[in-house]
Amino acid sequence: MALMKAVFPFLLLTTAAALAQEPTAPPSSKIPPQPRESWSGIKIKADDKPAFPEPPAGWDIKRDGIPHGKLVMISYDSKTVGTRRKMNVYTPPGYSTEKKYPVLYLLHGIGGDETEWARYAQPEILLDNLIADGKARPMIIVMPNGRAQKDDRPIGDIFAHIPAFLVFERDLLDDIIPTIESRYSVQSDREHRALAGLSMGGGQTMNIGFAHLDRFGWLGAFSSGPNAKRIEDLLPDPAAAKPLKLLWLSCGSRDGLLHVSQELHAEMTAKNVPHIWHVTDHAHDAPEWKQALYWFVQKLAFD
Ligand code: FER
């Protein structure tokens, strides 16, 4: 219990009422009738191993003498929410309307907002370095606010906002993606559109990504939250996952939510859905998500 308190103060805020609440969202984004449990203790399994080492020296240090991309906070009108909302957008070095770019939509956790990824992982530094070294494709990274409600600040009981994370599916598909595709020079087919997220955003990625395999070719769930649906609801027909270019599941071995990722890994393995399984010795924390992003973007070949 002491560990739980230290690692996840917010876990203690979870209420059955919050999880059982009916969302005002389409069927594909409904909370499953039996959500994954929030806590079951950590049990490391034989294949819970890193697929990648810790990143090499200098990976997250801003370099002079290489071209830099831009990180800009933009606003858009959300028809879904009925407000003007914000999202952080990284454009790669030398971004030009003469070219078309693939896009990664990157989702934050339950206590985060559109600034969280920039604060936790400085994706602009990671990507500038990787692109300079030819290790990642130039891509646009969109970091929206996954709490699709009028007041989208992460304040008060953050678990009370869970329904808004379900509404986000419509905000993403109907407002965010069309905004990005109208304002930026992007490749708009599924092969060039990726979706990933941390914790709550990892669960959203699973739920939204598998419900719309025609829209996303690359999926990444980092330290997935228990909001991820179970396999029967995520993927009733395993053959439907065939067109996926990448399914990435990762988690820290000191994360109290590891069991959620372990279950996803076991379910995908049982259904023969190819995926990367990357377990580090991190916890439910920024260092975990930062290195996950670093390796994940290198797997986005967008071919
Ligand atoms: C839950 C739903 C989401 C939960 C945790 C989350 C522990 C997400 C956590 C995060 O984003 O860090 O029921 O219970």
Side-chain angles (χ1 to χ4, degrees), residues 181-193:
E181 296 187 350
S182 69
R183 291 196 212 166
Y184 294 87
S185 188
V186 308
Q187 291 168 291
S188 53
D189 53 330
R190 55 176 295 286
E191 280 80 13
H192 297 94
R193 192 184 294 121

Side-chain angles (χ1 to χ4, degrees), residues 273-289:
V273 179
H275 59 280
I276 286 176
W277 177 231
H278 176 49
V279 180
T280 70
D281 61 2
H282 290 292
H284 198 73
D285 55 18
E288 168 64 19
W289 302 319

Side-chain angles (χ1 to χ4, degrees), residues 185-225:
S185 188
V186 308
Q187 291 168 291
S188 53
D189 53 330
R190 55 176 295 286
E191 280 80 13
H192 297 94
R193 192 184 294 121
L195 182 62
L198 73 88
S199 199
M200 188 69 164
Q204 284 180 303
T205 295
M206 292 291 92
N207 299 343
I208 299 173
F210 279 106
H212 302 281
L213 287 164
D214 56 327
R215 307 294 303 278
F216 303 96
W218 312 76
L219 300 177
F222 310 155
S223 322
S224 184

Side-chain angles (χ1 to χ4, degrees), residues 10-11 14 19 38 109-110 159 199-200 226 284:
F10 54 79
L11 290 188
T14 315
L19 283 171
S38 298
I110 197 163
F159 285 90
S199 199
M200 188 69 164
H284 198 73

Side-chain angles (χ1 to χ4, degrees), residues 14-301:
T14 315
T15 60
L19 283 171
Q21 223 163 333
E22 271 297 296
T24 52
S28 62
S29 62
K30 274 196 180 161
I31 287 180
Q34 294 171 317
R36 295 168 193 276
E37 284 177 25
S38 298
W39 176 262
S40 66
I42 297 176
K43 295 186 194 85
I44 307 297
K45 304 205 160 120
D47 64 347
D48 295 347
K49 303 242 169 68
F52 307 93
E54 279 298 298
W59 67 300
D60 61 349
I61 296 175
K62 187 171 179 178
R63 282 197 238 155
D64 294 329
I66 60 164
H68 295 288
K70 289 197 182 73
L71 184 64
V72 177
M73 190 65 78
I74 69 165
S75 300
Y76 66 102
D77 285 316
S78 168
K79 292 188 296 303
T80 302
V81 182
T83 53
R84 197 152 176 84
R85 311 191 74 220
K86 289 192 171 143
M87 51 187 163
N88 228 352
V89 179
Y90 167 81
T91 46
Y95 170 81
S96 153
T97 52
E98 315 265 283
K99 297 181 197 152
K100 285 189 181 287
Y101 297 84
V103 185
L104 163 62
Y105 294 87
L106 191 56
L107 312 180
H108 61 78
I110 197 163
D113 62 15
E114 66 279 3
T115 67
E116 184 173 79
W117 269 106
R119 288 185 281 110
Y120 282 178
Q122 295 182 290
E124 71 284 14
I125 295 179
L126 305 190
L127 267 289
D128 287 354
N129 289 348
L130 286 169
I131 292 167
D133 293 343
K135 290 181 177 165
R137 284 258 336 246
M139 66 183 82
I140 294 174
I141 303 185
V142 178
M143 291 155 275
N145 181 313
R147 197 177 291 96
Q149 62 188 11
K150 288 198 162 60
D151 180 354
D152 62 10
R153 295 304 90 202
I155 48 173
D157 175 0
I158 50 174
F159 285 90
H161 304 160
I162 286 177
F165 283 89
L166 297 169
V167 178
F168 177 74
E169 178 174 347
R170 296 294 4 140
D171 194 36
L172 177 65
L173 297 171
D174 301 342
D175 298 302
I176 293 170
I177 293 176
T179 299
I180 294 299
E181 296 187 350
S182 69
R183 291 196 212 166
Y184 294 87
S185 188
V186 308
Q187 291 168 291
S188 53
D189 53 330
R190 55 176 295 286
E191 280 80 13
H192 297 94
R193 192 184 294 121
L195 182 62
L198 73 88
S199 199
M200 188 69 164
Q204 284 180 303
T205 295
M206 292 291 92
N207 299 343
I208 299 173
F210 279 106
H212 302 281
L213 287 164
D214 56 327
R215 307 294 303 278
F216 303 96
W218 312 76
L219 300 177
F222 310 155
S223 322
S224 184
N227 56 313
K229 293 176 189 170
R230 292 199 165 270
I231 192 82
E232 311 79 61
D233 297 316
L234 270 184
L235 195 56
D237 169 20
K242 272 244 157 65
L244 257 191
K245 297 276 196 171
L246 174 68
L247 172 60
W248 165 291
L249 301 171
S250 59
C251 198
S253 61
R254 293 184 293 113
D255 185 336
L257 289 178
L258 174 64
H259 68 98
V260 174
S261 295
Q262 287 172 323
E263 283 164 18
L264 284 167
H265 164 56
E267 291 168 349
M268 294 298 167
T269 303
K271 301 283 179 192
N272 291 315
V273 179
H275 59 280
I276 286 176
W277 177 231
H278 176 49
V279 180
T280 70
D281 61 2
H282 290 292
H284 198 73
D285 55 18
E288 168 64 19
W289 302 319
K290 185 170 173 172
Q291 62 79 37
L293 180 67
Y294 175 80
W295 293 115
F296 177 72
V297 293
Q298 295 182 64
K299 301 306 284 182
L300 297 178

